[in-house]
Structure formats: structure tokens, C-alpha cells
Amino acid sequence: MSPRTEVIAAAFLATMAMPAMAQDVLLTVTAGGSTHHYDLEALQELPVTEFTTSTNWTEGEVTFTGVALATLLAEAGVEDGSVMATAINDYAVEIPVAEVTEDAPIIAYMQDGEILSPRDKGPLWVVYPFDSDPEYQTEIAYSRSIWQLDRITGAE
């Protein structure tokens, strides 16, 4: 292979790799003029929150593992107002920051010890501990429990 062909081949392979790298980003959080990108490893390095609850979309009790939304908002510097949580299909819900606690909701990346896949409402799912408090057993909480979450945007 000539040096020119090697350069062209390397450039082609680098271009082919770009979409794979972009797929590694599971969540983009944009707020206050900054953007944070999280892949699964970055999410798993944050403090872990886990709870067991039933949902309207699963059978029986399920254990969810993830990171508290409050943790992500703190990293992004979001302290008040609301955030827009948006799924891959552009379904979006507004979540008031005043209603986010250390325990709920979480951005789940695992269900019953298994990484969530897009076929199973993943790779990320906004989940509340529905069984722990009747306050979470409302249409509002259910509507905010979006799956296939891929971005969170704070008010600018």
C-alpha cells in the first residue's frame, strides 16, 4: 500500500469510528451555558442510588440502579427553575427542580442487575420509587418517568 493510500485508509477508518464514539454518550446535560456528556462508565462513577419498586410498566417489584437526578443537576449547577428531560423519540417532560430530592427520581441504567437496553426502556430511564410514597403514585410522576432518556436541558 502506498503512503497516500495508507493516509486515505486511515482517514476513512477514523471517520467510520466517529459514529461509534458518539453512541457511547448516553446522556447530555446542558445548563448554565455548559454541556456535560455522560457515557455509562461516567454515570457509574457517580454516587449510586438503588431502590426496589413496582411500576406500571414492569411485572412485580424491580430493582433499579442509577444516579440521582439531583446529583446530575448539582454537577451542572442547576439549583432552581425546571429542567426538560427528553427521550430519544423527542418525548419531553418538564421536571421542577424544587421537586427533585436526593432519592428521587433517579436516572436508572440498570434493572435487576442488568444494563438497560433500548428494547427494555433503556439505556436510561427516569424512575421514581413509586412504592415508597403515595406522592409518587400520581399521573404527574408517571408522566415524568420517561424511558430512553438521552438529554436534560436546564433553563438558560
Side-chain angles (χ1 to χ4, degrees):
M1 198 181 304
S2 73
R4 178 170 160 51
T5 305
E6 287 178 14
V7 169
I8 292 171
F12 175 75
L13 291 174
T15 320
M16 294 301 291
M18 279 188 210
M21 287 187 290
Q23 290 176 358
D24 290 341
V25 173
L26 298 181
L27 181 65
T28 301
V29 179
T30 305
S34 66
T35 300
H36 303 266
H37 299 284
Y38 298 91
D39 60 11
L40 181 59
E41 185 177 318
L43 290 170
Q44 290 175 322
E45 288 174 0
L46 295 170
V48 175
T49 302
E50 184 174 277
F51 54 73
T52 301
T53 189
S54 59
T55 78
N56 289 344
W57 310 278
T58 56
E59 302 241 351
E61 289 189 334
V62 177
T63 300
F64 291 99
T65 306
V67 59
L69 177 57
T71 300
L72 293 171
L73 296 182
E75 276 205 353
V78 178
E79 297 175 359
D80 57 12
S82 62
V83 294
M84 190 66 66
T86 307
I88 293 168
N89 67 359
D90 292 329
Y91 175 78
V93 295
E94 190 172 350
I95 302 174
V97 174
E99 295 179 20
V100 174
T101 70
E102 293 290 322
D103 301 317
I106 69 169
I107 308 303
Y109 48 76
M110 293 180 80
Q111 177 179 323
D112 288 336
E114 300 289 326
I115 299 295
L116 285 166
S117 74
R119 295 191 82 180
D120 296 317
K121 301 187 176 21
L124 301 174
W125 186 358
V126 177
V127 184
Y128 290 81
F130 300 106
D131 295 344
S132 71
D133 189 332
E135 180 179 308
Y136 298 135
Q137 299 169 14
T138 66
E139 288 304 314
I140 291 172
Y142 297 140
S143 72
R144 292 178 182 160
S145 300
I146 68 172
W147 47 84
Q148 296 185 328
L149 175 75
D150 72 344
R151 58 199 178 276
I152 298 171
T153 307
E156 295 296 321

